[in-house]
Structure formats: structure tokens, C-alpha cells
Amino acid sequence: MTQHINEYGQPIGAPLPEWQPRQWPCYEVFTGQYCRLEPLSAERHGRELYTAYAQANDGRDWTYMFAAPFADEETYLAYAKSIEQGRDPMHFAVIDMQSQRAVGTLALMRIDAKNGAVEVGHVAFSPLLKQTCMATEAHYLLMRYAFDQLGYRRYEWKCDSCNQPSRKAALRLGFQFEGIFRQAIVYKGRNRDTCWFSMIDAEWPQLKQAFERWLAVENFHADGTQRAKLEALR
């Protein structure tokens, strides 16, 4: 890597003479092969999402979320209403292309258009969505939007350091582990040490190619099992 030195003999970061602040994300519809992302609407998606989340046997999927398990549909609908159309976070519903029903949500958040950085968070995938092609594609669609359409430089993932499934998912998707911020957050009456992960624009072309190869129909057997793992295609 080329080292840049200023007039005082000090090492400095690479110059970005053409850099301009990026556009703030918009609420759009993103369509893939297996799923579609739509701006979250309590009216359109709320009941389907509550039904999808109710497929879980218990409330463990909410342990590391800021939201708590929802006791009834009315409570979830009120929550969905409170977060729809927000400027930051911006929540999207994941629609199963086969059933045309909402099966989970995720959001763009901590949006820093000036520096071209954004985080994906509030990932609430129901049992109908977890560990499916749709789940991977939902992340890919937002990454593609951030890098290819908005021209962002950095895409982040953060989670509770105790949340091993989330840490594993970040690495599988191609994020790089950056470290742990100790005692970063207090939530649900307890401490959270936060793991930071990221991917950057220079890495995106290779990651994008791997996603597209993995998502291709020919990468799956007739029974739906994968031929090659995503990690192996990078």
C-alpha cells in the first residue's frame, strides 16, 4: 500500500480529491429472485410479520434485539407503526416471492451520507426466512443499493458480542471483524459489548460476484441444498 506523506513528513491517509457527500438512502423497492424488499408498512405488512414471527417456539430471537417479544398482534402493529417511514433507521420488509407475504425485516441505520458509511441493523428474520436463499439475498439487495446506487464507501454490521449467530452470519456474508467496543450500550437492563464488522467499496466487486454466483439457480440441487458455500465462492 502506498504511504502518503504531508509537508511535515507525517504519514496521512490517501487523498480523495473527487469525493463528494453521498445521497441519503430513499425508500425504494428492491427485487431479487427469491425475495423483494419493500418499505415497511404496518398496514400492509404488520399482520403477516406478526404471524411469521409467531412461528418461533419461544422468544429467543429477540434476546439481542432492542425490541422485546410481542405479546399480541396489536402490540406488534403499534411497534411497526412507530418505526415505519423513519429517516434513520429506515426499515424494509422482506417479501417471499413465492407466497408474496412478509417474513422479516431489516434496516439501514446510522446513515452517514457525508462520509459514505451506513449500517445494516434491526435484522428481525422469522423462522420462515432464517437460513434461506431469501435471507442471503435480502442482505445482498441492500448492499448492492448502498455500494452500486448510492456509492457509499463503507457498510457496517454491529451486534452484541454475546450474539454468536450474528457474529457467524457477518463473517459468512463477507464482513471483516474490526474489534469489540467494551461497555458500549446499556439495553434491556444489561451491558452490551459491541462487535464491529464492515465491508468497504474496494471489497465489494469480489463480494458481489460471490453473492451472484451463490444465488444463481444452478448453485442449488433439486432439493434446494447448496452446491457451493458462499464463503467458498469469494
Side-chain angles (χ1 to χ4, degrees):
M1 182 179 295
T2 302
Q3 188 175 44
H4 299 271
I5 305 296
N6 70 4
E7 65 270 31
Y8 307 111
Q10 299 167 304
I12 58 174
L16 298 172
E18 298 181 1
W19 174 257
Q20 295 292 329
R22 293 319 196 218
Q23 176 185 337
W24 198 271
C26 298
Y27 278 112
E28 298 184 23
V29 175
F30 307 106
T31 303
Q33 299 178 79
Y34 309 103
C35 73
R36 181 176 67 252
L37 304 185
E38 297 180 354
L40 176 64
S41 164
E43 182 179 356
R44 291 200 312 274
H45 308 124
R47 288 181 173 80
E48 292 176 0
L49 287 167
Y50 178 76
T51 299
Y53 294 138
Q55 301 295 312
N57 294 325
D58 53 39
R60 71 183 62 212
D61 288 344
W62 301 94
T63 297
Y64 303 112
M65 303 288 289
F66 287 98
F70 299 95
D72 51 47
E73 185 180 273
E74 182 179 0
T75 304
Y76 179 74
L77 290 175
Y79 168 75
K81 184 68 176 176
S82 73
I83 63 173
E84 66 179 10
Q85 296 300 313
R87 178 170 169 79
D88 187 354
M90 298 175 64
H91 292 264
F92 293 85
V94 183
I95 311 300
D96 181 338
M97 293 288 278
Q98 289 191 338
S99 69
Q100 293 298 311
R101 299 179 71 84
V103 290
T105 64
L106 72 173
L108 292 175
M109 59 184 288
R110 295 173 65 94
I111 301 163
D112 182 357
K114 178 181 178 181
N115 294 297
V118 66
E119 177 184 345
V120 60
H122 295 281
V123 180
F125 286 0
S126 76
L128 301 176
L129 178 55
K130 289 192 297 183
Q131 298 182 334
T132 67
C133 295
M134 292 185 292
T136 298
E137 187 174 56
H139 282 295
Y140 163 73
L141 290 173
L142 275 191
M143 292 173 190
R144 188 177 68 180
Y145 177 55
F147 287 120
D148 290 351
Q149 290 184 240
L150 298 178
Y152 276 46
R153 306 175 64 227
R154 176 179 170 86
Y155 193 79
E156 299 176 339
W157 177 295
K158 303 185 186 78
C159 65
D160 191 313
S161 64
C162 296
N163 189 349
Q164 291 298 326
S166 183
R167 295 175 67 163
K168 183 178 178 181
L171 294 174
R172 175 184 173 271
L173 291 169
F175 288 87
Q176 299 293 313
F177 177 64
E178 295 185 327
I180 297 177
F181 281 40
R182 299 178 299 161
Q183 297 188 185
I185 293 174
V186 177
Y187 77 135
K188 294 184 174 179
R190 63 179 189 260
N191 174 65
R192 184 176 112 165
D193 294 346
T194 298
C195 286
W196 282 55
F197 299 83
S198 75
M199 59 179 62
I200 59 176
D201 54 355
E203 300 162 346
W204 173 240
Q206 182 179 6
L207 293 170
K208 179 181 179 180
Q209 183 181 58
F211 277 114
E212 292 177 350
R213 291 174 63 192
W214 188 86
L215 290 165
V217 174
E218 54 267 26
N219 187 46
F220 296 92
H221 296 284
D223 63 0
T225 57
Q226 63 186 351
R227 296 180 186 273
K229 292 184 177 181
L230 179 59
E231 302 94 309
L233 296 173
R234 284 200 286 272

